[in-house]
Amino acid sequence: VVSGSANVEASTRARVQQAIEDTGYKPNINARSLRSRSGQLVGLAVPQIVNEAFAHFIHFAEQEAHRMGYGLVIGNTEDDPEREQKFIDDLLSRNVDAIIFSRVSDASRLPMKARERNLPLVVIDRGIDDEDIPSIELDNVEAGAIVARLFARGGHHRVAMVAGPENVRLARERSAGFTKAAAAAGLTLQEPYVYEGSFEFETGVAAADHFLSLAERPTAVWAQCDLAAVGLMHRFVEHGLTVPDDISVVGMDNVAIARMVYPPLTTVMQPFEEFCSRAFSIIHRQLEDPSYRPEANPVVVRPSMVLRESYRNLN
Amino acid sequence: VVSGSANVEASTRARVQQAIEDTGYKPNINARSLRSRSGQLVGLAVPQIVNEAFAHFIHFAEQEAHRMGYGLVIGNTEDDPEREQKFIDDLLSRNVDAIIFSRVSDASRLPMKARERNLPLVVIDRGIDDEDIPSIELDNVEAGAIVARLFARGGHHRVAMVAGPENVRLARERSAGFTKAAAAAGLTLQEPYVYEGSFEFETGVAAADHFLSLAERPTAVWAQCDLAAVGLMHRFVEHGLTVPDDISVVGMDNVAIARMVYPPLTTVMQPFEEFCSRAFSIIHRQLEDPSYRPEANPVVVRPSMVLRESYRNLN
DNA sequence: TTGTAAGCGTTATCAT
DNA sequence: ATGATAACGCTTACAA
């Protein structure tokens, strides 16, 4: 009756249902998983939790997992391969049904283990050098390019960029996309107009100080994350400049703070929900057909511009 | 050897260790939980995920759980008793070792079930009408009071408040604390100076419009959450006022955005980490001694003022 | 259609 | 100190 077999008479079914009600019987998932080899569990690894982007991943993953009737176990890897490994081992020994990994380290042995077990695994927000593993990532080159095109169309001639860490691939891609599209539009992005830092508020503040110190200040700056963009604006305004009259600022991510600051931040939106819904649709299909692979790998999702008041055309 | 029994000769232990290495043996947590009745799991329920306060809870809970060698399963209840119930049932059937609940509904049957099973359960960020269940909450009355005292000391005479929903206890407590301490200091908080809304940015914006429409505007406003405070500032500035010269704004929570907006927001800090560390210290002790109860119930943690530039004394 | 038995990977108990 | 055996709660295969 519990497993919904068809071969059971209506009367017995009712009798059993009654007993279930009476005794408050609830199947034990762990015992079940012992036989069925399914822990009714999805694992989600993120490199950070207190960060709106990852909070979105957790939110949507929880939603999808529960919709499918699975529990969600989360692990904070902090980009530490050792923690990553421990979390993976824990998941495996719980018989997880699927894993979503945000930012796996390249050295991870996870892909191998997943293949061994034929465990659905999707990597999001960071490509992985393994063609077999489905991954979902933003078109980071395009993200940079749409900003460069905006600046060029808007008549900006001296533009600047606050880049993420050089050793992070998505930051390199964003930089390359911006630089290349800028060049294509006749804009050059020379040395003092690129400031490299981390994806944090403080980087934006420090970058603002740097740009303020230049004899020829840029008229528009793109920061590769909203927090850094907010840091830029913060220091510019503190310094007496007006955004966007004196200088335009554009961010990236479109987190909640972007619309809350004054002036509201023009930014490049990342479709966080789409990452998760696509990941789950792959997982879903893989659970039904273990040999399924997404047609395109990596699956690339597209960024889009969100125009708000922190940016203004010069022409 | 695996369970660390003493009754095993060094040579056998070595031999077994070798075999473990060779075969890559990893104990199966589900099978183990079947016998030991421990799922090596902590459950955390939150009413929302994309919200810095709850993200902090998730972060610290993950940290503590992993430190203790447990996995962390999270559930988003969305303040819906039905989802709450489903999540609880799921946890129970997984043999969770402990549950941390943020904002349980009063009607929940969880306390009963927890008692039946003698399952460590701690409620955080919201009191529960059950003396047996340890809970950890902020001294919300004090939170309101310290702001009122700040305003009074600072020479403000017309003060205002953006309150949370009347049907949420912690909002009522904050309001009561503020109003009472204000009265004690000779300040009265009359009808048009209290704006009731939700804990969101938009509430702050709407409240700003309301206060701007008054013939006699307040000189200082307290919002019961940072997002609403940021909404206030946003609209005040948009309207041409200067914060804090024309009007002081104070928030509550001390989330990251508070220091990022311009001017930086004076706010009441909630010690998010302390909620979790105290919850886990109770859980820890209860796992060792099932009869343990915290000496004080509820455990009350204290808020504190974080002074930044959005507030200014008049005297 | 229903009932019975074996086995999933552990841990605990009991002989050896 | 070691090895054998039962039991945890479930699913599956097979017998009735």
Side-chain angles (χ1 to χ4, degrees):
Chain A
V1 170
V2 172
S3 57
S5 161
N7 300 332
V8 52
E9 217 150 341
S11 68
T12 355
R13 160 158 289 127
R15 209 152 46 88
V16 174
Q17 281 296 0
Q18 189 57 49
I20 289 177
E21 306 273 312
D22 294 348
T23 60
Y25 169 82
K26 290 272 162 36
N28 178 310
I29 299 186
N30 293 321
R32 174 176 288 176
S33 85
L34 201 54
R35 284 256 18 173
S36 64
R37 340 229 72 180
S38 153
Q40 308 264 69
L41 224 45
V42 173
L44 170 67
V46 288
Q48 218 185 106
I49 292 174
V50 184
N51 171 309
E52 201 180 314
F54 297 113
H56 271 114
F57 289 153
I58 297 173
H59 173 87
F60 291 119
E62 198 274 349
Q63 191 169 76
E64 295 290 331
H66 276 251
R67 196 204 303 288
M68 290 168 63
Y70 292 88
L72 179 73
V73 183
I74 71 159
N76 183 0
T77 64
E78 289 183 345
D79 279 318
D80 171 358
E82 200 182 323
R83 296 190 60 160
E84 209 172 86
Q85 191 54 52
K86 270 183 76 174
F87 182 57
I88 292 163
D89 287 340
D90 182 80
L91 291 177
L92 292 177
S93 76
R94 285 181 198 282
N95 278 317
V96 265
D97 297 283
I99 297 182
I100 298 177
F101 232 94
S102 179
R103 316 261 174 100
V104 222
S105 68
D106 287 327
S108 175
R109 302 172 56 72
L110 176 57
M112 212 195 66
K113 296 199 183 184
R115 246 188 308 266
E116 267 173 24
R117 296 227 195 181
N118 204 6
L119 175 68
L121 163 65
V122 180
V123 173
I124 61 178
D125 198 29
R126 148 81 107 104
I128 184 170
D129 298 331
D130 188 320
E131 299 237 320
D132 275 12
I133 304 300
S135 79
I136 300 170
E137 47 186 289
L138 189 77
D139 187 339
N140 285 296
V141 172
E142 174 66 6
I146 58 181
V147 180
R149 291 196 297 263
L150 174 75
F151 286 177
R153 261 201 331 273
H156 288 275
H157 294 300
R158 269 195 319 285
V159 301
M161 173 170 72
V162 181
E166 175 66 27
N167 64 348
V168 172
R169 191 174 85 184
L170 61 83
R172 287 197 305 274
E173 290 170 353
R174 288 175 193 179
S175 297
F178 184 83
T179 310
K180 195 170 161 208
L187 289 171
T188 56
L189 195 66
Q190 286 140 338
E191 204 272 288
Y193 294 101
V194 175
Y195 185 96
E196 186 191 324
S198 66
F199 289 131
E200 276 158 23
F201 174 75
E202 283 71 20
T203 289
V205 174
D209 282 334
H210 167 70
F211 295 135
L212 286 167
S213 75
L214 299 178
E216 299 212 294
R217 293 177 183 165
T219 59
V221 188
W222 179 48
Q224 292 181 2
C225 82
D226 284 341
L227 298 191
V230 170
L232 279 172
M233 287 212 289
H234 184 106
R235 180 52 60 91
F236 286 153
V237 170
E238 190 171 38
H239 209 264
L241 301 195
T242 302
V243 176
D245 296 349
D246 296 316
I247 192 163
S248 281
V249 174
V250 174
M252 159 119 214
D253 286 346
N254 193 30
V255 292
I257 191 175
R259 70 173 212 284
M260 299 187 187
V261 288
Y262 191 85
L265 184 66
T266 288
T267 190
V268 178
M269 186 184 89
Q270 288 207 53
F272 296 121
E273 179 163 12
E274 196 179 343
F275 280 94
C276 290
S277 64
R278 284 186 180 268
F280 272 89
S281 95
I282 292 171
I283 285 171
H284 219 244
R285 295 193 55 168
Q286 283 195 355
L287 287 174
E288 286 170 350
D289 169 13
S291 66
Y292 171 75
R293 294 290 173 280
E295 283 128 52
N297 195 19
V299 173
V300 174
V301 303
R302 292 182 60 82
S304 56
M305 274 307 292
V306 178
L307 289 167
R308 296 202 186 91
E309 286 71 36
S310 70
Y311 171 81
R312 150 181 304 185
N313 288 334
L314 285 189
N315 46 23
Chain B
V1 169
V2 172
S3 57
S5 161
N7 300 332
V8 52
E9 219 151 340
S11 68
T12 351
R13 160 158 288 129
R15 207 151 48 87
V16 174
Q17 283 295 2
Q18 189 56 49
I20 289 177
E21 308 272 313
D22 294 347
T23 60
Y25 169 83
K26 290 271 161 38
N28 178 312
I29 298 185
N30 293 323
R32 175 176 287 177
S33 86
L34 200 54
R35 287 254 17 168
S36 65
R37 339 231 68 177
S38 152
Q40 309 263 68
L41 224 45
V42 173
L44 171 68
V46 289
Q48 216 187 110
I49 293 174
V50 184
N51 171 310
E52 200 180 313
F54 297 114
H56 271 113
F57 289 153
I58 296 172
H59 172 87
F60 290 119
E62 197 273 349
Q63 190 170 78
E64 294 290 330
H66 276 251
R67 196 203 303 289
M68 289 168 63
Y70 291 87
L72 180 74
V73 182
I74 70 158
N76 182 1
T77 64
E78 289 183 347
D79 278 320
D80 170 359
E82 199 182 324
R83 296 190 59 160
E84 208 173 86
Q85 191 54 53
K86 270 182 75 175
F87 181 56
I88 292 164
D89 286 340
D90 183 81
L91 291 178
L92 292 177
S93 78
R94 285 180 197 282
N95 277 319
V96 265
D97 298 284
I99 297 181
I100 299 177
F101 232 93
S102 180
R103 315 260 175 102
V104 224
S105 69
D106 287 328
S108 176
R109 301 173 57 71
L110 176 56
M112 212 195 65
K113 296 199 183 185
R115 245 188 309 264
E116 267 172 25
R117 296 227 194 182
N118 205 5
L119 175 68
L121 163 65
V122 180
V123 173
I124 60 178
D125 198 30
R126 149 81 106 108
I128 186 170
D129 298 332
D130 188 321
E131 300 237 319
D132 276 14
I133 305 299
S135 79
I136 300 170
E137 46 185 292
L138 189 77
D139 187 338
N140 285 295
V141 172
E142 174 66 7
I146 57 181
V147 180
R149 290 197 296 264
L150 174 74
F151 286 178
R153 262 202 328 274
H156 288 276
H157 294 301
R158 268 195 320 284
V159 301
M161 172 171 72
V162 181
E166 175 68 25
N167 64 347
V168 172
R169 191 175 84 186
L170 61 81
R172 288 197 305 274
E173 290 170 352
R174 289 175 194 179
S175 298
F178 184 83
T179 311
K180 197 171 158 203
L187 290 171
T188 56
L189 195 66
Q190 286 139 338
E191 203 270 290
Y193 295 103
V194 176
Y195 185 96
E196 186 190 323
S198 67
F199 289 131
E200 277 159 22
F201 175 75
E202 282 71 20
T203 288
V205 174
D209 282 333
H210 168 70
F211 294 135
L212 286 167
S213 75
L214 298 178
E216 298 213 296
R217 293 177 182 165
T219 59
V221 188
W222 177 47
Q224 292 180 2
C225 82
D226 284 341
L227 298 189
V230 170
L232 279 172
M233 287 211 291
H234 184 106
R235 180 51 61 91
F236 286 152
V237 170
E238 189 172 36
H239 209 264
L241 301 195
T242 301
V243 175
D245 296 350
D246 296 316
I247 191 163
S248 280
V249 174
V250 174
M252 159 116 214
D253 287 346
N254 193 31
V255 293
I257 191 177
R259 70 172 211 285
M260 299 187 188
V261 288
Y262 190 85
L265 183 66
T266 289
T267 191
V268 179
M269 186 184 91
Q270 288 207 54
F272 296 120
E273 179 163 13
E274 196 179 343
F275 280 93
C276 290
S277 63
R278 284 187 180 266
F280 272 89
S281 96
I282 292 172
I283 284 171
H284 219 245
R285 295 194 55 169
Q286 283 193 357
L287 286 173
E288 286 171 349
D289 168 14
S291 67
Y292 171 76
R293 295 291 174 278
E295 282 128 52
N297 195 22
V299 172
V300 174
V301 303
R302 293 182 61 81
S304 57
M305 274 308 292
V306 178
L307 290 167
R308 297 201 185 93
E309 287 72 35
S310 71
Y311 172 81
R312 153 182 300 187
N313 287 334
L314 285 189
N315 48 24

